[in-house]
Amino acid sequence: MTVATAPAHAETDKGDVAAGPVSQGTAPPGVILPPRQSDEVDEIVVTADRYGEAKVAAESEFDEEEIASHGADSIQDLLARLSPFIDPSGEEPVILINGKPAGFDRSILSYPAEALQRVAVLKPEAAAQYGEPAGKRVVNLVLKKHFSMWNADAGVDFATAGGQYGGKLSARRTAIDGDMRWNATARIGADSAFRKSARALPPRDGVFDSVGFVSAPDGGEIDPALSLIAGEPVTAAAIPPEWLAGAPGSGGAGAGVPGLADFAATANALHPVDPNAYETLQSSRRTASLAIGVTRPLGAFTASLNLNASRSSSEGERGLPMVSVLIPAGSPWSPFADDVLLTRPFAGERALRNASDSTALGASLTLNGSIGSWQTNFGINYARGWSSNLLETGVDRARIQQAIAADAAFDPYGPWDESLLLATRGRTRSENLSARLNVRKTIIDLPAGPMVWNLTANASRNRSHSWQEGGGEGDGGGDAGAVERRTTRHQTSGQMTLSLPIARRGEAGPAWLGDLSLDLSASTQAMTGSRAQKRYGANVSWSPWSIVQLRGSIDRAEAAPSFDQLDAPIVTTVTRVFDYARQEVAEPLWITGGNPDLRGGSRQSVSLAATLRPLGGQALTLNLGYRQSVAKGGVAGFPELTPAIEAAFPERVTRDAEGRLVAVDARAINIARDTDAELSSGIALRLGQARAGERSKAAPEPLQISVSLNHRYRLKSELLTRSGLPAIDQLRAGGQSRHNLSMQLSVGKRGIGANLSGNWSSPGRLRSAADDADAAFRFKPPLTFNLSAFVEPERLFALPGKKGVLNGLKISVDVRNLFNGYRRVTLADGRVPSGYSRNEIDPLGRTLSLTARKRF
């Protein structure tokens, strides 16, 4: 406490200043007030740490009014909208809650945005202070001291061109009382299947019939005797109704054998169907989840316990399974004089299925507190999951043909057993247990600030047990056997960082040096089956003037494949891709999952960045950055299947005798070298903010306006897949864009607001043949815009406090791909290649979502 001659004031928990007189007429017992002159004014100044403040100063802040102007329903939604102002790269930031690491506490992201008092984006050097890699941005979420809210949400979404719709319901309860808080959220959602028939798309090649028919193998007349009975030449005859697959009482020896008269009744009467009606471009989906989080003091610590459960399923259709088999003359099932070809669906209008479902349970515990002079954060997380998938790929024609020839009891017209379908089935059980301990301590207080030592230790165990069995045509066998995998891997890592303040403006070091700090880090990681990997890094931050911030970092890391890259369950799906080799659309089996043969590698990266705030505050920010990284022998996801990639990994691609694409093993790969370099620049403008103490309760809330524009210029992107092969210049011939421009405009205040975001990329070029410029594909990405808006009628029509339907109601609308753009692809001569029409590239198009939230 200090005594001074100035008006009395005290600092509130929000950091604002509350002015008012301080009584001088009384004093605590035993305290004698000194004599005072009549013209003197005493002052008592009470100073305290700002509520929820982090140990590292904020680079920028968003207060309640600015948070409300975005109209976000949850903290997660808010962070997504603030992403251009946090980290334009879109990388997820490190989360602090009231200045303390969130650890495994992810329930905070489902809290309503109204629970926030402010959001602080900390200076870049904060990552090292909290045991995170240099370059990670850190966001401090400061919650209100007291908050309570019940709310329910209902929403619908649909494609404006039709064909797809969905809906969601959620209920949430949130309560905050000082250091105690809890949150419970329940959600359910569903999306319809998006069928191929909803768009004008070319159908598959082939004959599709919902009943089935017989015909002559050469396409001529089936049997002169049949034509005589029918009274006309018969080239095709539908399966008689009594023998239809799936018809009640049909099939089997009990139904007898169809005669010529039965087929004469269906002569030349076929039942063609649209094959697109039996294919889905997007599977139907069902989701449900429940999450509960509780935080409360526990002695000298704060403990957060989170429980979550989720369930999801999807089901799609892959087309009508048709098969053609030969019924020889003399077969007990043929009344014809010559061989006939039977073409039929597997079971009426039953389509091939592609289905999956998954269930996940999880729990986490996070402890924050002090042990002596050490600030500690400990977290433990447990997750368990079950999943299964089914992919039906066709009918086992070889087994059916064999049964017709060898088994007189086999009815080729009636219902067929499900075992005759070719299918891949998989099941997986997984379990993960992980723990993290972070401790930090001020070693010494230097003139420029505290030197902080930070230690982080991580340990995890991952177990998985998977089964996969698949069907394969050939050799009369429909079961290609089952594969079972059991894996258990342990991983441990440790990191040490040292934050060293060198100079501080006005207090330590030469005045011209400004603020200067250095962060050094070293870490090691070991996983079962691989040697230890080491990592070293350094980050320097220099602010010669208050409006300028310069940063540089260098990092060298030895990297090993992750759990998922090694041991994820093998999943087989069917993916629609463009086959550049044949210049046609293909739908091969697409195999993803873990690759236990992956090896580790190394990566070196250098980055430089400058931030300028010419107006001295948060109103205007200019950013400029450079980044270069070189990975050697590392792990990468399987790239787009271009001719160059197929030439580098021929063992990953399967084609049939005619060269058609059949299957692609798209699991992660090892690469020889991957080099990237880019320049980035950005401008951010924020208007409508009021300084602390300037805003009065009687004054209307100002309109909040924020604009961000970010540009990325890729200097180099070169991929060397394997030694001895030429490197792939992905900017010149790999289809990648050199320029990318993104923007966001937000305008609003409490009760009403809108957000417009856009993205543009420069055209790219992909050569389907190394030396053939005429075979190049030219990609022209669209300029896409997304629009979201919200309104709260209660505030808009000045109805606060009144009871009614509008009380506590918020209505939101989101439009994705506002102008219905799509990536245009042409050949060198301007022609649009097959498979790249508007509906084939982006059949869904523009989507609209409407959400109503009611606060109780």
Side-chain angles (χ1 to χ4, degrees):
M1 182 179 295
T2 60
V3 179
T5 57
H9 62 272
E11 185 171 288
T12 67
D13 57 55
K14 293 184 181 181
D16 295 330
V17 174
V22 178
S23 173
Q24 301 292 326
T26 61
V31 176
I32 301 175
L33 293 174
R36 55 178 291 186
Q37 301 297 326
S38 60
D39 59 347
E40 289 182 347
V41 179
D42 287 349
E43 178 195 67
I44 298 177
V45 180
V46 179
T47 61
D49 290 337
R50 195 178 181 198
Y51 174 69
E53 195 82 337
K55 296 298 182 182
V56 179
E59 184 177 70
S60 60
E61 288 190 350
F62 301 86
D63 61 13
E64 288 186 48
E65 284 69 26
E66 198 165 3
I67 291 171
S69 71
H70 286 275
D73 289 336
S74 67
I75 291 178
Q76 185 171 24
D77 184 23
L78 175 68
L79 292 180
R81 300 189 184 197
L82 296 180
S83 178
F85 304 95
I86 298 173
D87 187 352
S89 69
E91 185 177 4
E92 184 178 355
V94 179
I95 301 297
L96 307 182
I97 306 172
N98 294 337
K100 300 176 181 179
F104 292 116
D105 184 5
R106 310 307 292 171
S107 68
I108 189 68
L109 297 177
S110 64
Y111 276 48
E114 293 91 335
L116 288 168
Q117 185 183 106
R118 67 182 185 274
V119 174
V121 182
L122 305 188
K123 293 183 176 180
E125 55 265 32
Q129 293 271 0
Y130 293 96
E132 300 290 342
K136 292 276 287 186
R137 297 312 305 261
V138 181
V139 173
N140 183 25
L141 306 175
V142 182
L143 302 173
K144 294 177 180 176
K145 283 188 174 181
H146 303 284
F147 179 81
S148 179
M149 181 175 174
W150 275 98
N151 73 275
D153 298 61
V156 296
D157 57 80
F158 53 90
T160 57
Q164 197 279 332
Y165 57 89
K168 59 185 177 182
L169 293 171
S170 67
R172 176 172 54 201
R173 169 61 170 160
T174 306
I176 303 174
D177 186 11
D179 291 334
M180 297 181 61
R181 64 179 185 269
W182 71 278
N183 179 72
T185 305
R187 293 189 177 95
I188 58 172
D191 290 289
S192 70
F194 180 36
R195 295 189 175 276
K196 193 174 179 180
S197 56
R199 298 290 183 269
L201 291 170
R204 291 174 181 265
D205 294 333
V207 177
F208 296 89
D209 191 279
S210 63
V211 172
F213 58 90
V214 294
S215 60
D218 58 2
E221 188 178 31
I222 297 176
D223 189 329
L226 176 62
S227 299
L228 182 63
I229 298 175
E232 60 178 334
V234 180
T235 58
I239 299 174
E242 295 81 6
W243 283 267
L244 283 180
S250 67
V257 177
L260 287 177
D262 296 308
F263 282 102
T266 61
N268 297 321
L270 304 184
H271 302 80
V273 293
D274 178 11
N276 287 356
Y278 304 90
E279 289 189 58
T280 56
L281 299 171
Q282 181 175 293
S283 299
S284 62
R285 295 185 296 269
R286 302 290 184 272
T287 60
S289 65
L290 174 65
I292 300 173
V294 179
T295 299
R296 61 167 299 157
L298 191 64
F301 288 82
T302 300
S304 297
L305 176 65
N306 293 276
L307 304 173
N308 59 80
S310 63
R311 170 80 177 175
S312 65
S313 63
S314 68
E315 186 166 347
E317 294 182 353
R318 298 200 50 252
L320 194 64
M322 300 292 297
V323 63
S324 294
V325 291
L326 190 72
I327 302 180
S331 167
W333 294 97
S334 175
F336 308 109
D338 298 313
D339 297 347
V340 294
L341 190 68
L342 171 64
T343 302
R344 56 163 285 182
F346 179 78
E349 298 189 28
R350 179 203 186 285
L352 295 172
R353 295 175 296 164
N354 181 13
S356 66
D357 65 79
S358 63
T359 303
L361 299 174
S364 68
L365 175 66
T366 302
L367 296 173
N368 275 295
S370 300
I371 301 177
S373 58
W374 293 89
Q375 294 292 322
T376 64
N377 174 266
F378 173 75
I380 186 169
N381 183 74
Y382 177 78
R384 191 174 183 89
W386 301 263
S387 64
S388 64
N389 60 81
L390 167 67
L391 175 66
E392 295 176 340
T393 56
V395 184
D396 195 339
R397 179 183 176 278
R399 283 185 62 194
I400 294 172
Q401 191 68 69
Q402 184 181 39
I404 291 174
D407 186 0
F410 180 78
D411 182 359
Y413 311 111
W416 285 346
D417 188 85
E418 292 281 328
S419 64
L420 294 175
L421 276 177
L422 298 172
T424 300
R425 295 174 175 84
R427 291 178 294 159
T428 301
R429 290 203 309 259
S430 62
E431 181 183 55
N432 177 269
L433 178 64
S434 56
R436 183 178 191 271
L437 174 64
N438 173 257
V439 296
R440 61 189 184 278
K441 178 183 180 180
T442 298
I443 300 175
I444 186 174
D445 285 314
L446 299 174
M451 180 189 295
V452 178
W453 189 27
N454 195 301
L455 299 172
T456 302
N458 295 280
S460 60
R461 183 195 68 193
N462 192 78
R463 290 179 175 175
S464 66
H465 187 189
S466 62
W467 303 262
Q468 181 173 355
E469 55 183 4
E473 186 172 353
D475 300 327
D479 188 358
V483 177
E484 181 177 3
R485 292 177 59 189
R486 292 178 182 266
T487 59
T488 300
R489 293 186 187 270
H490 297 82
Q491 179 175 294
T492 56
S493 66
Q495 175 175 300
M496 180 186 71
T497 60
L498 186 66
S499 299
L500 179 64
I502 299 174
R504 185 164 61 177
R505 186 178 299 106
E507 297 190 27
W512 59 267
L513 194 56
D515 292 340
L516 180 63
S517 63
L518 176 66
D519 298 319
L520 302 173
S521 65
S523 65
T524 183
Q525 174 181 294
M527 181 188 292
T528 303
S530 64
R531 63 182 180 83
Q533 297 88 42
K534 297 176 287 293
R535 180 174 183 172
Y536 306 97
N539 183 77
V540 62
S541 179
W542 180 34
S543 177
W545 305 282
S546 60
I547 63 173
V548 177
Q549 181 79 38
L550 304 174
R551 299 182 299 276
S553 67
I554 184 169
D555 186 83
R556 187 186 188 283
E558 297 173 342
S562 66
F563 283 138
D564 286 341
Q565 290 172 331
L566 291 169
D567 300 325
I570 302 299
V571 177
T572 302
T573 58
V574 173
T575 301
R576 187 180 177 88
V577 299
F578 187 81
D579 183 3
Y580 295 100
R582 291 174 57 91
Q583 296 194 11
E584 65 183 16
V585 175
E587 295 187 348
L589 298 179
W590 201 261
I591 303 167
T592 58
N595 180 5
D597 296 327
L598 292 174
R599 305 177 306 277
S602 65
R603 177 180 291 272
Q604 291 182 341
S605 61
V606 176
S607 65
L608 301 171
T611 300
L612 175 66
R613 290 188 170 87
L615 303 182
Q618 301 179 107
L620 179 62
T621 303
L622 305 175
N623 292 296
L624 180 65
Y626 169 80
R627 183 188 66 84
Q628 175 184 297
S629 66
V630 179
K632 297 181 179 179
V635 178
F638 194 78
E640 183 179 3
L641 187 62
T642 63
I645 294 299
E646 183 173 355
F649 299 95
E651 73 281 3
R652 293 295 193 99
V653 180
T654 302
R655 295 182 178 274
D656 62 15
E658 298 180 2
R660 287 189 294 264
L661 194 60
V662 174
V664 177
D665 182 352
R667 296 176 297 163
I669 59 174
N670 277 114
I671 56 174
R673 187 179 67 248
D674 187 7
T675 305
D676 282 290
E678 66 179 34
L679 283 173
S680 61
S681 58
I683 179 172
L685 180 66
R686 294 165 60 193
L687 303 175
Q689 305 166 33
R691 295 181 181 178
E694 290 185 353
R695 184 178 296 133
S696 70
K697 294 183 179 179
E701 293 179 358
L703 194 66
Q704 304 287 331
I705 302 174
S706 62
V707 183
S708 72
L709 187 65
N710 295 288
H711 175 251
R712 184 182 69 168
Y713 175 56
R714 305 190 69 178
L715 302 170
K716 188 174 186 179
S717 179
E718 190 175 86
L719 180 66
L720 178 62
T721 55
R722 289 180 175 175
S723 299
L725 295 177
I728 303 171
D729 188 338
Q730 301 187 90
L731 296 174
R732 292 182 178 272
Q736 292 190 0
S737 299
R738 187 176 292 274
H739 296 271
N740 177 262
L741 191 65
S742 62
M743 62 79 63
Q744 179 173 293
L745 169 65
S746 296
V747 180
K749 61 179 183 178
R750 289 184 187 270
I752 189 170
N755 179 287
L756 178 67
S757 61
N759 191 280
W760 171 85
S761 295
S762 61
R765 175 178 294 186
L766 173 69
R767 291 187 179 180
S768 60
D771 300 320
D772 188 359
D774 294 333
F777 290 80
R778 303 175 189 270
F779 299 91
K780 185 180 180 181
L783 174 60
T784 58
F785 287 96
N786 301 318
L787 175 66
S788 63
F790 77 98
V791 62
E792 298 179 33
E794 174 188 6
R795 295 182 180 275
L796 189 64
F797 300 110
L799 301 172
K802 294 186 179 181
K803 301 295 183 182
V805 177
L806 299 182
N807 183 255
L809 179 66
K810 181 171 77 173
I811 300 174
S812 304
V813 58
D814 291 275
V815 184
R816 311 294 296 178
N817 195 2
L818 183 63
F819 297 111
N820 210 23
Y822 70 100
R823 186 177 71 160
R824 300 176 186 271
V825 181
T826 58
L827 297 173
D829 58 5
R831 291 182 298 111
V832 176
S834 173
Y836 276 105
S837 67
R838 196 266 174 263
N839 284 333
E840 287 175 298
I841 290 179
D842 180 17
L844 190 62
R846 183 194 303 112
T847 60
L848 179 67
S849 176
L850 296 172
T851 304
R853 190 181 74 160
K854 177 71 173 177
R855 177 174 178 171
F856 301 96

